[in-house]
Amino acid sequence: MTQPWIAGCGLTTFGRHEGTGLEVLAALAARAALLDAGLPPRRIGMAVFANALAARLSGSLTMGQDVLAHVGIAGCAVMNVENACTSGSTAVHIAAMAIRSGEVDAALVVGAEKMFHPALGLIDSGKTLADTLLGRVTPAGFALRASRHMARFGTTAEQLAAVSVKNRRAAASNPLAMMRGPLTMAEVLAAPLVVDPLTRLQCSPIADGAAALVLVSEALARRCGARTRLRATALTSGSYDPMAELSEWETDSRTARIAWERADAGVQDISVVECHDAFSIAEILHYEGLGLCPVGEGGRYAERLLAGDSACVPVNPSGGLLSRGHPVAATGVAQIIEVARHLQGQGASGRLGLAHCMGGDKEADTKSCTIVIVESA
C-alpha cells in the first residue's frame, strides 16, 4: 500500500475578498497547487472539492465541477464534500484513501469558502430565543465549556486570553493571515464580551479564502520531488452528551488514538500542531484531548506556550483560526499545508506534525473530527 505524498500546495490570503467570487478563489489555489507540484491538470486522476456554505447559497449541486473546469480538470472523478468545519480535511481523507488504494496516483483537493457574502450575513443559528438563552448556539456553547473548565480546574481569564495573544504573535510572521497586528493581554480581556467569559478577540473571525493540495503516490512523489507525506489520516464522528463534553472532548482523544495507531507513533513524536482554535477555550481543550498535557492543565499549557517554553510542542504557529481567519471549508486543508511547511522549514527528515480539525452542528456538540499526521522526508 502506497502512502500519499504532498506534491503541491496552494493558498490564498484569508480575509475579505470583495469582488472576488468563490470560483475564482478556489481556482487560484488549485492552479498554485498544480504549479507547485509540476503537474498538468490532465495528470489528475481524481478531485475532491470541499465547501460548507456557498454551495447551498448558490443552489449549485456540482460546484466542484464548475470550479475545476476553470483549471482544465474535466472528465475525471470529481466529488463534492460538505462536513461542517471538517469539510476540507474530510476531502483530504477521501483523496488519501484513493491514493492508498491505488485507485489513482494523483489527486487534487480544494477547500474554499466565501463567508463575506451579502446573502449570508451573520450565520443563522436556526434556533429560538429559548435555545439561545439555554446556550444552544455556538459562542454560548463554548462559553459554557470555558466556565466549566474555570470552575473545575481553576483556569483563569488570563490563561484563556493567552491563547489569543500567542496566536496573534505567530500570525505576524504569516503573510497570508487575516489579522497580523500585535495584540496584548489587556486588549484581549478588555474587548467586548461575546458570551462571558469569551471576548470578541477570543472568537475566530469569518473569512474568505481557499486552499489546495495535490496528493500523489510514492512513485510519482519521487518524480515531483515531494518532501512531505501523510503518515496517517483519521476521521471519526458521533453524537455526544453536551454536558459530558463541557470540560473535555472524548472525540479528540479517540480520533488521536486511531491516528497514532495508523502512524505507528505517539504524541511524544510530534514537533508541531495546528488545531481548530475556533475559540480560545477550544485550543485549551484540544491540548488536553490530543495528549499534549493532562486534562485540567490546558490553561497552564497556554501560559507556557506564550512564555516560549521549549518543552512544549508549538501549537498554531500559523496564527490559528483566531488570527489566520476561518473560511470554513478551506481551514482543514490550510492546516495541513501549514504543518507541512513548518516541517520543511525545520529541515530534518522524519519529523512529524499533526493537523487537527473539528466540526459540529448548531449546538456546537462535536459531530466530526479529523487528525492528519504529516511526516517530513
Side-chain angles (χ1 to χ4, degrees):
M1 180 177 67
T2 183
Q3 290 291 350
W5 287 72
I6 299 174
C9 303
L11 266 176
T12 69
T13 56
F14 284 7
R16 186 186 290 268
H17 287 272
E18 292 187 53
T20 303
L22 178 79
E23 291 185 5
V24 174
L25 283 173
L28 285 171
R31 289 193 190 100
L34 289 167
L35 183 63
D36 190 34
L39 293 177
R42 66 178 181 276
R43 192 64 183 77
I44 299 299
M46 174 186 184
V48 190
F49 179 78
N51 178 264
L53 296 169
R56 69 184 66 169
L57 291 173
S58 69
S60 174
L61 299 178
T62 55
M63 182 164 282
Q65 285 85 339
D66 297 340
V67 167
L68 295 169
H70 287 289
V71 298
I73 293 177
C76 69
V78 176
M79 297 180 65
N80 291 276
V81 173
E82 187 279 307
N83 202 17
C85 294
T86 64
S87 294
S89 48
T90 298
V92 172
H93 182 67
I94 291 169
M97 288 194 294
I99 297 291
R100 291 192 193 102
S101 70
E103 180 75 17
V104 298
D105 64 358
L108 174 67
V109 178
V110 183
E113 208 70 69
K114 185 76 175 173
M115 304 289 285
F116 290 101
H117 191 292
L120 184 62
L122 292 175
I123 299 176
D124 182 8
S125 70
K127 295 295 176 183
T128 65
L129 176 60
D131 289 323
T132 302
L133 293 174
L134 287 170
R136 300 183 67 198
V137 291
T138 301
F142 280 91
L144 285 171
R145 287 174 169 85
S147 296
R148 175 73 173 269
H149 207 273
M150 296 168 86
R152 186 177 177 189
F153 301 117
T155 305
T156 67
E158 288 76 16
Q159 289 170 341
L160 290 170
V163 175
S164 297
V165 175
K166 170 187 69 72
N167 290 358
R168 182 65 66 85
R169 181 187 295 170
S173 302
N174 182 357
L176 300 181
M178 180 179 183
M179 304 174 75
R180 302 178 61 203
L183 190 62
T184 67
M185 182 78 71
E187 288 172 327
V188 175
L189 294 172
L193 277 175
V194 175
V195 185
D196 191 23
L198 301 179
T199 68
R200 186 167 61 196
L201 292 173
Q202 296 179 62
C203 306
S204 60
I206 63 171
D208 302 335
L213 281 171
V214 175
L215 299 182
V216 298
S217 65
E218 186 171 359
L220 190 52
R222 289 194 291 269
R223 291 169 49 190
C224 295
R227 293 190 292 154
T228 50
R229 66 170 180 156
L230 304 188
R231 178 89 165 251
T233 64
L235 167 65
T236 68
S237 61
S239 180
Y240 306 106
D241 176 0
M243 292 306 295
E245 291 277 315
L246 277 176
S247 56
E248 56 187 281
W249 270 313
E250 180 273 343
T251 183
D252 276 3
S253 56
R254 180 161 54 87
T255 311
R257 285 194 299 271
I258 295 171
W260 299 139
E261 182 177 353
R262 291 176 179 173
D264 190 24
V267 68
Q268 71 278 359
D269 302 310
I270 296 297
S271 61
V272 64
V273 170
E274 286 282 336
C275 77
H276 192 270
D277 58 321
F279 299 86
S280 57
I281 182 60
E283 182 168 314
I284 286 173
L285 291 172
H286 296 320
Y287 299 155
E288 299 172 5
L290 296 174
L292 298 175
C293 67
V295 172
E297 292 292 319
R300 283 171 282 280
Y301 199 81
E303 286 181 318
R304 292 171 59 195
L305 283 169
L306 180 60
D309 188 340
S310 60
C312 296
V313 178
V315 179
N316 286 328
S318 69
L321 282 62
L322 285 169
S323 292
R324 194 182 66 241
H326 185 24
V328 174
T331 289
V333 183
Q335 289 176 313
I336 297 166
I337 292 172
E338 297 287 3
V339 168
R341 288 178 173 175
H342 187 91
L343 293 175
Q344 290 170 9
Q346 290 181 327
S349 63
R351 290 186 179 272
L352 300 181
L354 183 151
H356 160 278
C357 199
M358 60 165 281
D361 65 9
K362 295 167 185 174
E363 291 92 352
D365 301 333
T366 303
K367 292 296 190 295
S368 178
C369 180
T370 58
I371 289 179
V372 177
I373 308 295
V374 183
E375 180 180 19
S376 60

